[in-house]
Amino acid sequence: LVREILAARLKLGLTQEAVAQLMGTTKSAVSRLESTGKHTPSLTTLKKYAQAVGCQLEIKLIPRDCPIKCSGVSAKKRAAR
């Protein structure tokens, strides 16, 4: 995620200061967002960043090979949960 958001900003030639201004936040907040670490941004923050760099945020759940299918729980039982 960090790699993607940084690439989006750089593609537009924006500085962290410019993105911060578009988001209505500080440069240090953008810096934290773009750093790899313990910071976990909210969906709202990610949406604001995406909008500031001309993107839309898309979150996907990609199925793995078979963790649920192999667990012995049928699709019908999973749907009932």
Side-chain angles (χ1 to χ4, degrees):
L1 177 62
V2 170
R3 190 170 37 244
E4 288 186 32
I5 63 174
L6 185 57
R9 177 174 66 79
L10 295 176
K11 184 176 180 179
L12 290 180
L14 295 173
T15 63
Q16 288 181 338
E17 292 89 354
V19 172
Q21 187 174 14
L22 290 167
M23 291 176 64
T25 191
T26 62
K27 178 194 174 295
S28 61
V30 172
S31 179
R32 280 192 306 275
L33 183 62
E34 292 182 351
S35 69
T36 55
K38 296 179 182 179
H39 181 69
T40 306
S42 69
L43 287 177
T44 301
T45 299
L46 290 172
K47 286 178 186 178
K48 286 180 182 180
Y49 188 100
Q51 184 175 5
V53 297
C55 296
Q56 74 178 38
L57 181 64
E58 182 176 289
I59 299 173
K60 295 181 180 182
L61 292 177
I62 309 297
R64 293 186 277 171
D65 289 339
C66 73
I68 294 175
K69 190 178 359 174
C70 295
S71 72
V73 177
S74 71
K76 191 173 185 179
K77 288 181 183 176
R78 284 193 309 272
R81 289 184 182 174

